[in-house]
PDB file of all heavy atoms in Angstrom:
ATOM      1  N   HIS A   1       0.831  -1.201  -0.011  1.00 90.00           N
ATOM      2  CA  HIS A   1       0.009  -0.009  -0.004  1.00 90.00           C
ATOM      3  C   HIS A   1       0.877   1.260   0.000  1.00 90.00           C
ATOM      4  O   HIS A   1       0.973   1.955   0.993  1.00 90.00           O
ATOM      5  CB  HIS A   1      -0.941  -0.007   1.185  1.00 90.00           C
ATOM      6  CG  HIS A   1      -2.081  -0.954   1.040  1.00 90.00           C
ATOM      7  ND1 HIS A   1      -1.957  -2.285   1.290  1.00 90.00           N
ATOM      8  CD2 HIS A   1      -3.361  -0.750   0.609  1.00 90.00           C
ATOM      9  CE1 HIS A   1      -3.129  -2.880   1.034  1.00 90.00           C
ATOM     10  NE2 HIS A   1      -3.984  -1.972   0.610  1.00 90.00           N
ATOM     11  N   ASN A   2       1.502   1.496  -1.128  1.00 92.00           N
ATOM     12  CA  ASN A   2       2.344   2.678  -1.258  1.00 92.00           C
ATOM     13  C   ASN A   2       1.434   3.875  -1.553  1.00 92.00           C
ATOM     14  O   ASN A   2       0.601   3.840  -2.435  1.00 92.00           O
ATOM     15  CB  ASN A   2       3.387   2.487  -2.381  1.00 92.00           C
ATOM     16  CG  ASN A   2       4.372   3.625  -2.435  1.00 92.00           C
ATOM     17  OD1 ASN A   2       4.019   4.736  -2.771  1.00 92.00           O
ATOM     18  ND2 ASN A   2       5.599   3.356  -2.075  1.00 92.00           N
ATOM     19  N   LEU A   3       1.650   4.958  -0.799  1.00 95.00           N
ATOM     20  CA  LEU A   3       0.715   6.077  -0.850  1.00 95.00           C
ATOM     21  C   LEU A   3       1.207   7.269  -1.687  1.00 95.00           C
ATOM     22  O   LEU A   3       0.596   8.313  -1.682  1.00 95.00           O
ATOM     23  CB  LEU A   3       0.417   6.563   0.587  1.00 95.00           C
ATOM     24  CG  LEU A   3      -0.212   5.538   1.509  1.00 95.00           C
ATOM     25  CD1 LEU A   3      -0.333   6.102   2.909  1.00 95.00           C
ATOM     26  CD2 LEU A   3      -1.582   5.123   0.966  1.00 95.00           C
ATOM     27  N   ALA A   4       2.324   7.079  -2.390  1.00 94.00           N
ATOM     28  CA  ALA A   4       2.941   8.213  -3.112  1.00 94.00           C
ATOM     29  C   ALA A   4       1.917   8.988  -3.986  1.00 94.00           C
ATOM     30  O   ALA A   4       1.900  10.219  -4.001  1.00 94.00           O
ATOM     31  CB  ALA A   4       4.097   7.740  -3.943  1.00 94.00           C
ATOM     32  N   LYS A   5       1.045   8.230  -4.683  1.00 95.00           N
ATOM     33  CA  LYS A   5       0.094   8.915  -5.611  1.00 95.00           C
ATOM     34  C   LYS A   5      -1.046   9.622  -4.871  1.00 95.00           C
ATOM     35  O   LYS A   5      -1.734  10.469  -5.454  1.00 95.00           O
ATOM     36  CB  LYS A   5      -0.531   7.884  -6.583  1.00 95.00           C
ATOM     37  CG  LYS A   5       0.487   7.280  -7.546  1.00 95.00           C
ATOM     38  CD  LYS A   5      -0.242   6.394  -8.566  1.00 95.00           C
ATOM     39  CE  LYS A   5       0.711   5.617  -9.423  1.00 95.00           C
ATOM     40  NZ  LYS A   5       1.399   4.552  -8.622  1.00 95.00           N
ATOM     41  N   ASP A   6      -1.272   9.271  -3.611  1.00 96.00           N
ATOM     42  CA  ASP A   6      -2.435   9.770  -2.890  1.00 96.00           C
ATOM     43  C   ASP A   6      -2.139  10.928  -1.943  1.00 96.00           C
ATOM     44  O   ASP A   6      -3.036  11.674  -1.536  1.00 96.00           O
ATOM     45  CB  ASP A   6      -3.067   8.635  -2.037  1.00 96.00           C
ATOM     46  CG  ASP A   6      -3.444   7.454  -2.905  1.00 96.00           C
ATOM     47  OD1 ASP A   6      -4.142   7.651  -3.916  1.00 96.00           O
ATOM     48  OD2 ASP A   6      -2.976   6.334  -2.578  1.00 96.00           O
ATOM     49  N   LEU A   7      -0.873  11.100  -1.581  1.00 97.00           N
ATOM     50  CA  LEU A   7      -0.538  12.053  -0.514  1.00 97.00           C
ATOM     51  C   LEU A   7      -0.872  13.497  -0.873  1.00 97.00           C
ATOM     52  O   LEU A   7      -1.152  14.308   0.017  1.00 97.00           O
ATOM     53  CB  LEU A   7       0.930  11.937  -0.113  1.00 97.00           C
ATOM     54  CG  LEU A   7       1.294  10.593   0.563  1.00 97.00           C
ATOM     55  CD1 LEU A   7       2.779  10.532   0.866  1.00 97.00           C
ATOM     56  CD2 LEU A   7       0.470  10.358   1.818  1.00 97.00           C
ATOM     57  N   GLY A   8      -0.911  13.825  -2.166  1.00 97.00           N
ATOM     58  CA  GLY A   8      -1.249  15.161  -2.620  1.00 97.00           C
ATOM     59  C   GLY A   8      -2.668  15.581  -2.242  1.00 97.00           C
ATOM     60  O   GLY A   8      -3.015  16.750  -2.220  1.00 97.00           O
ATOM     61  N   ARG A   9      -3.506  14.547  -1.918  1.00 97.00           N
ATOM     62  CA  ARG A   9      -4.927  14.850  -1.567  1.00 97.00           C
ATOM     63  C   ARG A   9      -5.055  15.242  -0.082  1.00 97.00           C
ATOM     64  O   ARG A   9      -6.110  15.708   0.334  1.00 97.00           O
ATOM     65  CB  ARG A   9      -5.817  13.626  -1.819  1.00 97.00           C
ATOM     66  CG  ARG A   9      -5.803  13.186  -3.274  1.00 97.00           C
ATOM     67  CD  ARG A   9      -6.936  12.247  -3.684  1.00 97.00           C
ATOM     68  NE  ARG A   9      -7.623  11.572  -2.587  1.00 97.00           N
ATOM     69  CZ  ARG A   9      -7.523  10.262  -2.298  1.00 97.00           C
ATOM     70  NH1 ARG A   9      -6.721   9.483  -3.030  1.00 97.00           N
ATOM     71  NH2 ARG A   9      -8.194   9.740  -1.318  1.00 97.00           N
ATOM     72  N   ILE A  10      -3.985  15.083   0.690  1.00 97.00           N
ATOM     73  CA  ILE A  10      -4.083  15.423   2.116  1.00 97.00           C
ATOM     74  C   ILE A  10      -3.887  16.942   2.247  1.00 97.00           C
ATOM     75  O   ILE A  10      -2.868  17.505   1.847  1.00 97.00           O
ATOM     76  CB  ILE A  10      -3.052  14.632   2.951  1.00 97.00           C
ATOM     77  CG1 ILE A  10      -3.475  13.151   2.954  1.00 97.00           C
ATOM     78  CG2 ILE A  10      -2.927  15.194   4.356  1.00 97.00           C
ATOM     79  CD1 ILE A  10      -2.588  12.260   3.753  1.00 97.00           C
ATOM     80  N   GLN A  11      -4.927  17.590   2.802  1.00 96.00           N
ATOM     81  CA  GLN A  11      -4.941  19.039   2.906  1.00 96.00           C
ATOM     82  C   GLN A  11      -4.679  19.537   4.329  1.00 96.00           C
ATOM     83  O   GLN A  11      -4.368  20.699   4.534  1.00 96.00           O
ATOM     84  CB  GLN A  11      -6.323  19.593   2.485  1.00 96.00           C
ATOM     85  CG  GLN A  11      -6.721  19.217   1.039  1.00 96.00           C
ATOM     86  CD  GLN A  11      -5.739  19.820   0.015  1.00 96.00           C
ATOM     87  OE1 GLN A  11      -5.386  20.964   0.117  1.00 96.00           O
ATOM     88  NE2 GLN A  11      -5.281  18.971  -0.906  1.00 96.00           N
ATOM     89  N   VAL A  12      -4.818  18.654   5.318  1.00 97.00           N
ATOM     90  CA  VAL A  12      -4.773  19.131   6.706  1.00 97.00           C
ATOM     91  C   VAL A  12      -3.336  19.508   7.084  1.00 97.00           C
ATOM     92  O   VAL A  12      -2.369  18.942   6.535  1.00 97.00           O
ATOM     93  CB  VAL A  12      -5.345  18.080   7.700  1.00 97.00           C
ATOM     94  CG1 VAL A  12      -6.813  17.858   7.461  1.00 97.00           C
ATOM     95  CG2 VAL A  12      -4.539  16.786   7.648  1.00 97.00           C
ATOM     96  N   PRO A  13      -3.151  20.413   8.065  1.00 98.00           N
ATOM     97  CA  PRO A  13      -1.808  20.709   8.530  1.00 98.00           C
ATOM     98  C   PRO A  13      -1.178  19.411   9.042  1.00 98.00           C
ATOM     99  O   PRO A  13      -1.791  18.647   9.794  1.00 98.00           O
ATOM    100  CB  PRO A  13      -2.037  21.692   9.679  1.00 98.00           C
ATOM    101  CG  PRO A  13      -3.393  22.248   9.485  1.00 98.00           C
ATOM    102  CD  PRO A  13      -4.183  21.210   8.747  1.00 98.00           C
ATOM    103  N   THR A  14       0.078  19.171   8.616  1.00 98.00           N
ATOM    104  CA  THR A  14       0.748  17.914   8.957  1.00 98.00           C
ATOM    105  C   THR A  14       2.110  18.181   9.514  1.00 98.00           C
ATOM    106  O   THR A  14       2.877  18.949   8.943  1.00 98.00           O
ATOM    107  CB  THR A  14       0.857  17.011   7.698  1.00 98.00           C
ATOM    108  OG1 THR A  14      -0.461  16.761   7.191  1.00 98.00           O
ATOM    109  CG2 THR A  14       1.527  15.676   8.027  1.00 98.00           C
ATOM    110  N   LEU A  15       2.403  17.590  10.677  1.00 98.00           N
ATOM    111  CA  LEU A  15       3.711  17.709  11.331  1.00 98.00           C
ATOM    112  C   LEU A  15       4.454  16.385  11.101  1.00 98.00           C
ATOM    113  O   LEU A  15       3.964  15.324  11.422  1.00 98.00           O
ATOM    114  CB  LEU A  15       3.541  17.989  12.806  1.00 98.00           C
ATOM    115  CG  LEU A  15       4.802  17.914  13.661  1.00 98.00           C
ATOM    116  CD1 LEU A  15       5.758  19.063  13.309  1.00 98.00           C
ATOM    117  CD2 LEU A  15       4.475  17.969  15.162  1.00 98.00           C
ATOM    118  N   LEU A  16       5.679  16.494  10.581  1.00 98.00           N
ATOM    119  CA  LEU A  16       6.558  15.331  10.417  1.00 98.00           C
ATOM    120  C   LEU A  16       7.726  15.485  11.382  1.00 98.00           C
ATOM    121  O   LEU A  16       8.475  16.457  11.287  1.00 98.00           O
ATOM    122  CB  LEU A  16       7.085  15.256   8.969  1.00 98.00           C
ATOM    123  CG  LEU A  16       6.031  15.236   7.855  1.00 98.00           C
ATOM    124  CD1 LEU A  16       6.643  15.598   6.501  1.00 98.00           C
ATOM    125  CD2 LEU A  16       5.330  13.888   7.776  1.00 98.00           C
ATOM    126  N   VAL A  17       7.833  14.564  12.321  1.00 98.00           N
ATOM    127  CA  VAL A  17       8.971  14.607  13.258  1.00 98.00           C
ATOM    128  C   VAL A  17       9.724  13.305  13.065  1.00 98.00           C
ATOM    129  O   VAL A  17       9.184  12.212  13.254  1.00 98.00           O
ATOM    130  CB  VAL A  17       8.532  14.717  14.742  1.00 98.00           C
ATOM    131  CG1 VAL A  17       9.748  14.789  15.640  1.00 98.00           C
ATOM    132  CG2 VAL A  17       7.658  15.943  14.948  1.00 98.00           C
ATOM    133  N   TRP A  18      11.016  13.416  12.656  1.00 98.00           N
ATOM    134  CA  TRP A  18      11.738  12.229  12.234  1.00 98.00           C
ATOM    135  C   TRP A  18      13.070  12.138  12.976  1.00 98.00           C
ATOM    136  O   TRP A  18      13.721  13.153  13.253  1.00 98.00           O
ATOM    137  CB  TRP A  18      12.040  12.354  10.743  1.00 98.00           C
ATOM    138  CG  TRP A  18      11.592  11.168   9.949  1.00 98.00           C
ATOM    139  CD1 TRP A  18      12.344  10.095   9.516  1.00 98.00           C
ATOM    140  CD2 TRP A  18      10.225  10.896   9.496  1.00 98.00           C
ATOM    141  NE1 TRP A  18      11.574   9.218   8.829  1.00 98.00           N
ATOM    142  CE2 TRP A  18      10.254   9.673   8.823  1.00 98.00           C
ATOM    143  CE3 TRP A  18       9.014  11.562   9.640  1.00 98.00           C
ATOM    144  CZ2 TRP A  18       9.119   9.082   8.235  1.00 98.00           C
ATOM    145  CZ3 TRP A  18       7.894  10.998   9.082  1.00 98.00           C
ATOM    146  CH2 TRP A  18       7.950   9.796   8.375  1.00 98.00           C
ATOM    147  N   GLY A  19      13.467  10.898  13.242  1.00 98.00           N
ATOM    148  CA  GLY A  19      14.793  10.671  13.790  1.00 98.00           C
ATOM    149  C   GLY A  19      15.811  10.803  12.666  1.00 98.00           C
ATOM    150  O   GLY A  19      15.647  10.206  11.604  1.00 98.00           O
ATOM    151  N   LEU A  20      16.829  11.612  12.893  1.00 97.00           N
ATOM    152  CA  LEU A  20      17.874  11.820  11.895  1.00 97.00           C
ATOM    153  C   LEU A  20      18.613  10.507  11.625  1.00 97.00           C
ATOM    154  O   LEU A  20      19.202  10.340  10.585  1.00 97.00           O
ATOM    155  CB  LEU A  20      18.821  12.910  12.375  1.00 97.00           C
ATOM    156  CG  LEU A  20      19.730  13.589  11.354  1.00 97.00           C
ATOM    157  CD1 LEU A  20      18.926  14.146  10.188  1.00 97.00           C
ATOM    158  CD2 LEU A  20      20.529  14.701  11.995  1.00 97.00           C
ATOM    159  N   ASN A  21      18.576   9.613  12.592  1.00 96.00           N
ATOM    160  CA  ASN A  21      19.295   8.356  12.487  1.00 96.00           C
ATOM    161  C   ASN A  21      18.348   7.169  12.261  1.00 96.00           C
ATOM    162  O   ASN A  21      18.695   6.033  12.579  1.00 96.00           O
ATOM    163  CB  ASN A  21      20.109   8.133  13.770  1.00 96.00           C
ATOM    164  CG  ASN A  21      20.850   9.393  14.204  1.00 96.00           C
ATOM    165  OD1 ASN A  21      20.309  10.145  15.008  1.00 96.00           O
ATOM    166  ND2 ASN A  21      22.017   9.644  13.651  1.00 96.00           N
ATOM    167  N   ASP A  22      17.176   7.443  11.730  1.00 95.00           N
ATOM    168  CA  ASP A  22      16.190   6.378  11.490  1.00 95.00           C
ATOM    169  C   ASP A  22      16.712   5.455  10.396  1.00 95.00           C
ATOM    170  O   ASP A  22      17.009   5.853   9.290  1.00 95.00           O
ATOM    171  CB  ASP A  22      14.848   7.016  11.042  1.00 95.00           C
ATOM    172  CG  ASP A  22      13.701   6.024  11.023  1.00 95.00           C
ATOM    173  OD1 ASP A  22      13.929   4.833  10.906  1.00 95.00           O
ATOM    174  OD2 ASP A  22      12.537   6.485  11.169  1.00 95.00           O
ATOM    175  N   THR A  23      16.804   4.141  10.760  1.00 91.00           N
ATOM    176  CA  THR A  23      17.328   3.177   9.819  1.00 91.00           C
ATOM    177  C   THR A  23      16.183   2.426   9.114  1.00 91.00           C
ATOM    178  O   THR A  23      16.394   1.717   8.135  1.00 91.00           O
ATOM    179  CB  THR A  23      18.122   2.097  10.602  1.00 91.00           C
ATOM    180  OG1 THR A  23      17.358   1.727  11.783  1.00 91.00           O
ATOM    181  CG2 THR A  23      19.471   2.626  11.028  1.00 91.00           C
ATOM    182  N   ILE A  24      14.929   2.576   9.621  1.00 91.00           N
ATOM    183  CA  ILE A  24      13.823   1.796   9.115  1.00 91.00           C
ATOM    184  C   ILE A  24      13.031   2.617   8.075  1.00 91.00           C
ATOM    185  O   ILE A  24      12.705   2.135   7.005  1.00 91.00           O
ATOM    186  CB  ILE A  24      12.936   1.323  10.284  1.00 91.00           C
ATOM    187  CG1 ILE A  24      13.744   0.319  11.105  1.00 91.00           C
ATOM    188  CG2 ILE A  24      11.652   0.674   9.762  1.00 91.00           C
ATOM    189  CD1 ILE A  24      13.182   0.009  12.441  1.00 91.00           C
ATOM    190  N   THR A  25      12.763   3.894   8.402  1.00 94.00           N
ATOM    191  CA  THR A  25      12.214   4.829   7.412  1.00 94.00           C
ATOM    192  C   THR A  25      13.221   6.018   7.398  1.00 94.00           C
ATOM    193  O   THR A  25      13.044   6.988   8.124  1.00 94.00           O
ATOM    194  CB  THR A  25      10.808   5.353   7.832  1.00 94.00           C
ATOM    195  OG1 THR A  25      10.828   5.714   9.220  1.00 94.00           O
ATOM    196  CG2 THR A  25       9.757   4.253   7.636  1.00 94.00           C
ATOM    197  N   PRO A  26      14.281   5.879   6.616  1.00 94.00           N
ATOM    198  CA  PRO A  26      15.390   6.854   6.690  1.00 94.00           C
ATOM    199  C   PRO A  26      14.969   8.281   6.342  1.00 94.00           C
ATOM    200  O   PRO A  26      13.870   8.504   5.815  1.00 94.00           O
ATOM    201  CB  PRO A  26      16.371   6.334   5.599  1.00 94.00           C
ATOM    202  CG  PRO A  26      15.936   4.955   5.271  1.00 94.00           C
ATOM    203  CD  PRO A  26      14.487   4.840   5.599  1.00 94.00           C
ATOM    204  N   PRO A  27      15.834   9.264   6.690  1.00 96.00           N
ATOM    205  CA  PRO A  27      15.484  10.696   6.478  1.00 96.00           C
ATOM    206  C   PRO A  27      14.981  11.016   5.071  1.00 96.00           C
ATOM    207  O   PRO A  27      14.109  11.851   4.932  1.00 96.00           O
ATOM    208  CB  PRO A  27      16.814  11.389   6.786  1.00 96.00           C
ATOM    209  CG  PRO A  27      17.462  10.544   7.817  1.00 96.00           C
ATOM    210  CD  PRO A  27      17.108   9.126   7.423  1.00 96.00           C
ATOM    211  N   ILE A  28      15.479  10.304   4.086  1.00 96.00           N
ATOM    212  CA  ILE A  28      15.019  10.621   2.685  1.00 96.00           C
ATOM    213  C   ILE A  28      13.509  10.372   2.573  1.00 96.00           C
ATOM    214  O   ILE A  28      12.822  11.059   1.802  1.00 96.00           O
ATOM    215  CB  ILE A  28      15.830   9.796   1.660  1.00 96.00           C
ATOM    216  CG1 ILE A  28      15.535  10.291   0.264  1.00 96.00           C
ATOM    217  CG2 ILE A  28      15.547   8.300   1.758  1.00 96.00           C
ATOM    218  CD1 ILE A  28      16.579   9.907  -0.766  1.00 96.00           C
ATOM    219  N   VAL A  29      12.980   9.417   3.355  1.00 96.00           N
ATOM    220  CA  VAL A  29      11.555   9.139   3.358  1.00 96.00           C
ATOM    221  C   VAL A  29      10.788  10.317   3.900  1.00 96.00           C
ATOM    222  O   VAL A  29       9.748  10.747   3.389  1.00 96.00           O
ATOM    223  CB  VAL A  29      11.236   7.861   4.187  1.00 96.00           C
ATOM    224  CG1 VAL A  29       9.743   7.597   4.235  1.00 96.00           C
ATOM    225  CG2 VAL A  29      11.960   6.651   3.601  1.00 96.00           C
ATOM    226  N   ALA A  30      11.345  10.913   4.988  1.00 97.00           N
ATOM    227  CA  ALA A  30      10.702  12.107   5.594  1.00 97.00           C
ATOM    228  C   ALA A  30      10.666  13.252   4.604  1.00 97.00           C
ATOM    229  O   ALA A  30       9.640  13.935   4.460  1.00 97.00           O
ATOM    230  CB  ALA A  30      11.479  12.524   6.835  1.00 97.00           C
ATOM    231  N   HIS A  31      11.771  13.432   3.870  1.00 98.00           N
ATOM    232  CA  HIS A  31      11.804  14.510   2.875  1.00 98.00           C
ATOM    233  C   HIS A  31      10.744  14.275   1.775  1.00 98.00           C
ATOM    234  O   HIS A  31      10.102  15.234   1.297  1.00 98.00           O
ATOM    235  CB  HIS A  31      13.190  14.601   2.219  1.00 98.00           C
ATOM    236  CG  HIS A  31      14.202  15.238   3.102  1.00 98.00           C
ATOM    237  ND1 HIS A  31      14.151  16.591   3.455  1.00 98.00           N
ATOM    238  CD2 HIS A  31      15.329  14.740   3.688  1.00 98.00           C
ATOM    239  CE1 HIS A  31      15.193  16.885   4.231  1.00 98.00           C
ATOM    240  NE2 HIS A  31      15.914  15.813   4.393  1.00 98.00           N
TER     241      HIS A  31
END
């Protein structure tokens, strides 16, 4: 269930807080 095509539909204010050393969903995923 990859959401890349759907995320543009999300309009609500969204906060992303990421571990800089995340090995499971690395920083590039947060970007």
